[in-house]
Amino acid sequence: MPIRYIFLIIALPISFYLVNVAGISTLGLSEYIPNGTKSDSLTKTVTAELTLIDGRMKNLVPKSAYLAINSTANEFYLFEGGTVTRHEKCSTGSYVLLKNGDLQQWMFKTPKGEFKILNKKRKPVWKKPDWAFIEEGLPVPSINHSSRFEYGVLGDYSLSLGDGYLIHGTIYQRFIGLPVTHGCIRLNDENLELVYKKLAVGSKVYLF
């Protein structure tokens, strides 16, 4: 689907930033001013305001490679130098609610907002959280029990966004493009390797 502009709304305590991740440019005035209401003074005022907004927005766009993830469409955009260099499918949270009686519950959704890569790992090992055992109907083991550690299920690479959320691979590649995860972002092998190589620790990731 052709997309000209993708706007990410990043909530801040005082205001909202609109980040145009597809390349920022001032739109034609006809899109803002209805026919019959144009005037030289109004045109100049709007042009000046749009130029000011453009300048502020450009300062928000990372200069290095970054990632934008559409969790509704399950698509990602890799940007380098303000240009989309890869746009393909990914998988995000399923929005399934898991309950453990009346004591605990988990909603498996991908968070939204501005994040950054906190660390990168090759051959990552998944340390299964409590919900993974409850989901399988198994007793929850001690925190460092050997049954918590699984090898090979996250693909060859992982990139951490914090709070347990990762960009990683999957052994179920046929499900890429569907909302099937517990909140992490899954990529196929080829795209995961590319993103791992292009993004550094500190690189921005926008989830919307």
Side-chain angles (χ1 to χ4, degrees):
M1 180 178 66
I3 299 177
R4 183 181 176 188
Y5 290 93
I6 302 168
F7 286 95
L8 305 181
I9 301 178
I10 309 300
L12 296 177
I14 300 177
S15 63
F16 292 92
Y17 284 118
L18 291 180
V19 180
N20 178 343
V21 297
I24 300 171
S25 61
T26 302
L27 299 179
L29 294 180
S30 60
E31 300 187 36
Y32 292 89
I33 307 173
N35 290 334
T37 65
K38 294 183 180 179
S39 68
D40 289 343
S41 60
L42 180 58
T43 299
K44 291 178 180 179
T45 299
V46 173
T47 299
E49 290 179 354
L50 290 177
T51 300
L52 180 61
I53 292 172
D54 272 355
R56 290 175 177 174
M57 291 172 66
K58 286 177 181 177
N59 290 333
L60 297 175
V61 177
K63 302 300 186 291
S64 58
Y66 64 97
L67 203 63
I69 296 168
N70 184 335
S71 60
T72 300
N74 286 288
E75 298 176 338
F76 76 90
Y77 299 79
L78 175 64
F79 289 86
E80 298 179 77
T83 301
V84 178
T85 57
R86 183 67 62 97
H87 167 209
E88 289 197 26
K89 290 291 185 179
C90 63
S91 285
T92 58
S94 64
Y95 275 86
V96 168
L97 178 65
L98 174 66
K99 291 187 176 182
N100 182 24
D102 295 326
L103 301 177
Q104 295 174 299
Q105 67 178 29
W106 296 266
M107 173 64 76
F108 298 133
K109 62 180 181 179
T110 299
K112 293 178 173 61
E114 178 182 332
F115 298 82
K116 63 181 179 180
I117 303 300
L118 300 181
N119 65 63
K120 300 167 57 176
K121 292 183 179 179
R122 293 176 177 268
K123 305 295 182 183
V125 177
W126 184 38
K127 185 176 182 180
K128 298 171 65 175
D130 291 354
W131 56 255
F133 295 93
I134 294 168
E135 187 177 47
E136 296 175 7
L138 300 174
V140 178
S142 59
I143 193 66
N144 288 314
H145 191 270
S146 60
S147 63
R148 284 191 181 267
F149 300 91
E150 288 197 2
Y151 300 80
V153 296
L154 299 180
D156 292 334
Y157 311 96
S158 70
L159 302 92
S160 173
L161 302 176
D163 294 328
Y165 295 104
L166 303 173
I167 300 171
H168 64 79
T170 176
I171 57 177
Y172 303 109
Q173 308 241 340
R174 65 186 181 279
F175 295 132
I176 293 293
L178 301 176
V180 294
T181 83
H182 296 92
C184 292
I185 296 93
R186 295 181 188 171
L187 305 179
N188 67 25
D189 292 343
E190 178 184 352
N191 289 327
L192 178 62
E193 182 175 9
L194 176 65
V195 168
Y196 184 86
K197 291 179 177 178
K198 295 295 184 179
L199 297 188
V201 172
S203 293
K204 295 293 183 67
V205 177
Y206 299 97
L207 302 175
F208 64 103

